Amino acid sequence: MLLPAPYGTGLEHVSEPIPIIGATGALGWGLAMRLARAGESIVIGSRSAERAEEAAARVREVVPDAAVEGLLNDEAARRGPIVFLTVPFRAQSENLNNLREVLEPEQILVDCTVPTAAAVGGKATRTLGVWQGSAAQQAQEMVPDGVTVIGALHTVSAKTLSEPDAELGEDILVCGDRKADKARVARIIELVPGLRAVNAGPLETARIVEQITSLLISVNARYKTHAGLRVTGLGDDDHWG
Amino acid sequence: MLLPAPYGTGLEHVSEPIPIIGATGALGWGLAMRLARAGESIVIGSRSAERAEEAAARVREVVPDAAVEGLLNDEAARRGPIVFLTVPFRAQSENLNNLREVLEPEQILVDCTVPTAAAVGGKATRTLGVWQGSAAQQAQEMVPDGVTVIGALHTVSAKTLSEPDAELGEDILVCGDRKADKARVARIIELVPGLRAVNAGPLETARIVEQITSLLISVNARYKTHAGLRVTGLGDDDHWG
């Protein structure tokens, strides 16, 4: 189960299931639906097996031949080498505490949480200071030794991602300490049409990237839209080879 | 001199000179050169009158009919209602102390400084915590009462901006507490072909926007480029009307 995933061209499929913890929410569900539509095998995790299966059923409504199942979080997290964590920031610590017994060395945890002040009843256009510097760095501190945290998917609109007919055309900033790990996550992200993964630097760069979500939420309110982000000047090469 | 600038369509010129403090550096000089090429009257400010005039001469090399002059900072800052401050962050406080005697109520100061750790010998891919929250908020604290600070031009590459033949195609995130003030600055920014001004929110949003510079510097090193930023999903309307 924990073998390196065999991909290279970005056009091949990932051979193992992709667990998405918190995929009952819009961000995780949108990712699940779009990856399922790209032919990936998806495992939706939730605190409730019933809600997990219900979310899986909703994926099958959009993608009739989807390979998707809904399980409790701890069962889901065992099912693939790269686990996405898409819960709200206020639930991040609780989830990571629960996953501590489950995650194994060599697994990658993709932390998608954003510490907006909404987590404590404040404005989503403002952020919380996280002691470790960022939610991703907090996650790195909380996972078992040998588990690598990658930060990603902060700037894509959960609403857009979860609307089956909405077109995407934006970048995902990927933060992590080893390029090879980031590349594995990038290959999954780029299975979603319209998403490009950009190497944003070491995990500590999540301090900056996570904040951009609040900026975009502020832009959304002002422009009545669901904004995303594109980095200009990168050229069309594959930077993950 | 301090009357509101008369513009509306974005195609009209700004009628008053545009002072750019620190335009001997790449960012300010690039802005000066491109606004001069757009037909604007530019006043380059520097601590040295000689260096200011030398920078103005370099603008005239690119734009032979440029309306540009080089003056000492305090003289330059009196020449127009909207003053750009394009000095390095480590020189921001000194410059604002000097300008305190010069700036007058109703003037707008466009702060373009970015508190990267390079200001204290650290990495430009990391940022400093500024007590007030951001360089722009520090500037707001330091300017005389009645002077409005707007944060802008953090994410455009100084190198690209200062290369006369380089094409731009990116957004400038504009932070400030009143839309009318941001709109005046936006009109100037959008006189530069290839730049679009996006209303990024109140001045406190500069906390986030200034950090993005460090992110882009990190991306530049990795991708061997001069990256910029675009916000997707905004549509083509003029949002400043």
Side-chain angles (χ1 to χ4, degrees):
Chain A
M1 171 199 118
L2 294 177
L3 297 173
Y7 36 54
T9 65
L11 298 171
E12 299 164 19
H13 285 184
V14 178
S15 65
E16 288 127 322
I18 301 168
I20 306 176
I21 308 301
T24 50
L27 182 71
W29 187 84
L31 182 66
M33 179 270 293
R34 288 179 187 260
L35 287 174
R37 197 159 59 183
E40 297 306 311
S41 173
I42 304 297
V43 186
I44 287 176
S46 171
R47 280 181 300 183
S48 148
E50 190 180 340
R51 291 183 58 220
E53 186 40 54
E54 184 271 334
R58 279 193 290 128
V59 170
R60 282 189 290 267
E61 280 173 27
V62 178
V63 187
D65 60 345
V68 59
E69 57 185 324
L71 299 174
L72 287 170
N73 282 333
D74 56 349
E75 296 169 32
R78 293 182 213 267
R79 298 292 290 276
I82 299 178
V83 180
F84 286 79
L85 182 64
T86 64
V87 300
F89 177 66
R90 65 173 165 272
Q92 190 210 33
S93 288
E94 179 193 335
N95 271 275
L96 289 173
N97 276 328
N98 294 339
L99 290 175
R100 199 173 279 166
E101 306 299 308
V102 178
L103 294 173
E104 292 179 23
E106 309 305 323
Q107 274 187 297
I108 290 175
L109 180 84
V110 185
D111 181 70
C112 309
T113 63
V114 174
T116 80
V120 292
K123 296 182 180 182
T125 54
R126 291 174 170 177
T127 59
L128 295 173
V130 178
W131 188 268
Q132 297 85 343
S134 62
Q137 290 167 287
Q138 176 166 283
Q140 185 64 71
E141 189 179 277
M142 294 186 71
V143 294
D145 286 350
V147 174
T148 299
V149 172
I150 301 290
L153 289 168
H154 308 95
T155 58
V156 63
S157 156
K159 182 151 198 324
T160 305
L161 195 70
S162 63
E163 285 179 356
D165 298 332
E167 285 196 17
L168 301 168
E170 56 191 275
D171 292 339
I172 300 296
L173 299 165
V174 181
C175 307
D177 289 334
R178 282 184 57 230
K179 185 177 177 185
D181 297 327
K182 285 182 278 195
R184 293 178 67 187
V185 175
R187 291 296 180 211
I188 294 177
I189 289 168
E190 293 188 345
L191 291 169
V192 176
L195 293 187
R196 178 178 70 166
V198 171
N199 185 347
L203 195 66
E204 66 178 32
T205 315
R207 296 180 191 208
I208 300 174
V209 176
E210 292 172 8
Q211 310 254 333
I212 299 175
T213 306
S214 278
L215 174 68
L216 293 178
I217 290 170
S218 167
V219 166
N220 287 346
R222 207 165 301 110
Y223 287 83
K224 315 276 180 246
T225 188
H226 301 284
L229 206 73
R230 252 187 111 74
V231 180
T232 66
L234 298 193
D236 296 326
D237 296 352
D238 176 10
H239 300 280
W240 296 104
Chain B
M1 170 198 121
L2 294 178
L3 296 174
Y7 38 54
T9 65
L11 299 171
E12 299 165 19
H13 285 184
V14 178
S15 65
E16 289 128 320
I18 301 169
I20 306 176
I21 307 300
T24 51
L27 181 71
W29 187 84
L31 182 67
M33 178 270 292
R34 287 179 187 260
L35 287 174
R37 196 158 62 183
E40 297 306 310
S41 173
I42 304 298
V43 184
I44 287 177
S46 170
R47 280 182 300 182
S48 147
E50 190 180 340
R51 291 183 58 220
E53 185 40 53
E54 183 271 335
R58 279 193 291 128
V59 171
R60 282 188 290 265
E61 280 172 27
V62 178
V63 188
D65 60 344
V68 59
E69 56 185 323
L71 299 174
L72 287 169
N73 283 333
D74 56 349
E75 296 170 32
R78 293 183 211 267
R79 298 292 289 276
I82 300 178
V83 179
F84 287 79
L85 182 64
T86 63
V87 300
F89 178 65
R90 66 173 165 275
Q92 188 209 35
S93 288
E94 179 193 335
N95 270 274
L96 289 172
N97 276 328
N98 294 338
L99 290 175
R100 201 173 277 168
E101 305 298 308
V102 177
L103 293 173
E104 291 179 24
E106 309 303 325
Q107 274 187 299
I108 290 175
L109 181 83
V110 185
D111 182 69
C112 309
T113 64
V114 174
T116 80
V120 293
K123 295 181 180 183
T125 55
R126 293 175 169 178
T127 59
L128 295 173
V130 178
W131 188 267
Q132 297 87 344
S134 62
Q137 289 167 289
Q138 176 165 283
Q140 184 65 70
E141 189 179 277
M142 294 186 70
V143 295
D145 285 352
V147 174
T148 299
V149 171
I150 301 291
L153 288 168
H154 309 95
T155 59
V156 62
S157 156
K159 182 151 196 325
T160 306
L161 195 69
S162 63
E163 284 180 354
D165 297 332
E167 283 196 18
L168 301 168
E170 57 192 273
D171 291 340
I172 300 297
L173 299 164
V174 181
C175 307
D177 289 332
R178 281 184 57 229
K179 186 178 177 185
D181 296 328
K182 285 184 276 196
R184 294 178 67 187
V185 174
R187 291 295 179 212
I188 294 177
I189 289 168
E190 294 188 345
L191 291 169
V192 176
L195 293 187
R196 178 178 70 166
V198 171
N199 186 348
L203 194 67
E204 66 180 31
T205 316
R207 296 179 191 209
I208 300 173
V209 176
E210 292 172 8
Q211 310 255 333
I212 298 175
T213 306
S214 279
L215 173 69
L216 293 178
I217 290 169
S218 168
V219 166
N220 287 345
R222 207 165 300 110
Y223 288 82
K224 315 278 181 244
T225 187
H226 301 285
L229 207 74
R230 252 187 111 73
V231 180
T232 66
L234 297 194
D236 295 327
D237 296 351
D238 176 10
H239 299 279
W240 295 104

